Amino acid sequence: MSTVDATEREQLTNTIQDTWRLLMGVGVVLTLVGLLAIVTPFFTGITLSFLFGVYLVVGAVAHLVHAFSGRGWTGFVFQLILAILFAVGGLAFLFNPLVGLTALTILLIAFFLVEGFTELAMGFRLRPERGWLWVAVSGVASVLVAVLVWLSFPSSAAWAVGLLFGIGLFTSGLSMIATAMGGRAAVKEATATSGTETGG
């Protein structure tokens, strides 16, 4: 029984060890990229606008291919309309990234508003369950971000998308690093326990 437990513990230790190293690497990369995005929000926003334009153009091609490979006039017309919309939007983003950045800022405002009010409703529905206040506070913060970006619009288009994207990456990276450190501590603890049992 002890041999089986030792083998399972060793396998678990190896899994955690591989996982925390990967998490640490990804976390460090995300943190650095997030910092870079925070320092250069306008460049980050323009880059995201361009990439979104590429995505829309690729989507247009996919819908066009699907239109000609599908059956029936109804499906063909629907896919063709989608292809045209995707193409127009994608080309607008590619040829004028500033317009695309402005559109992304409006979408960002809408997203934070919807997310904020959803979290507020969820928080009050969870009351008096544990943690409901944090959900509500998160909702208030999202609504405040949306309002602040909207009040300084359109000048906020130059920094809002890039800055918030960078903050998101930065916090995600820090979270992964913290998780990786916890995994590293678990590996050390498991190794120490295994060594003690072996010595005993």
Side-chain angles (χ1 to χ4, degrees), residues 44-65:
T44 303
I46 291 293
T47 303
L48 290 173
S49 177
F50 180 82
L51 290 176
F52 191 65
V54 172
Y55 165 78
L56 289 177
V57 170
V58 171
V61 173
H63 281 294
L64 193 63
V65 170

Side-chain angles (χ1 to χ4, degrees), residues 23-34:
L23 271 178
M24 179 68 76
V26 175
V28 169
V29 170
L30 286 181
T31 303
L32 292 176
V33 174

Side-chain angles (χ1 to χ4, degrees), residues 142-162:
S142 295
V143 172
L144 284 176
V145 168
V147 171
L148 288 173
V149 174
W150 174 253
L151 288 177
S152 57
F153 187 81
S155 62
S156 59
W159 54 265
V161 173

Side-chain angles (χ1 to χ4, degrees), residues 121-172:
M122 190 182 303
F124 283 109
R125 284 193 65 181
L126 288 173
R127 194 177 55 171
E129 295 293 330
R130 197 171 185 177
W132 74 270
L133 184 60
W134 290 109
V135 178
V137 168
S138 176
V140 171
S142 295
V143 172
L144 284 176
V145 168
V147 171
L148 288 173
V149 174
W150 174 253
L151 288 177
S152 57
F153 187 81
S155 62
S156 59
W159 54 265
V161 173
L163 180 64
L164 294 174
F165 179 77
I167 292 173
L169 286 182
F170 182 75
T171 54
S172 295

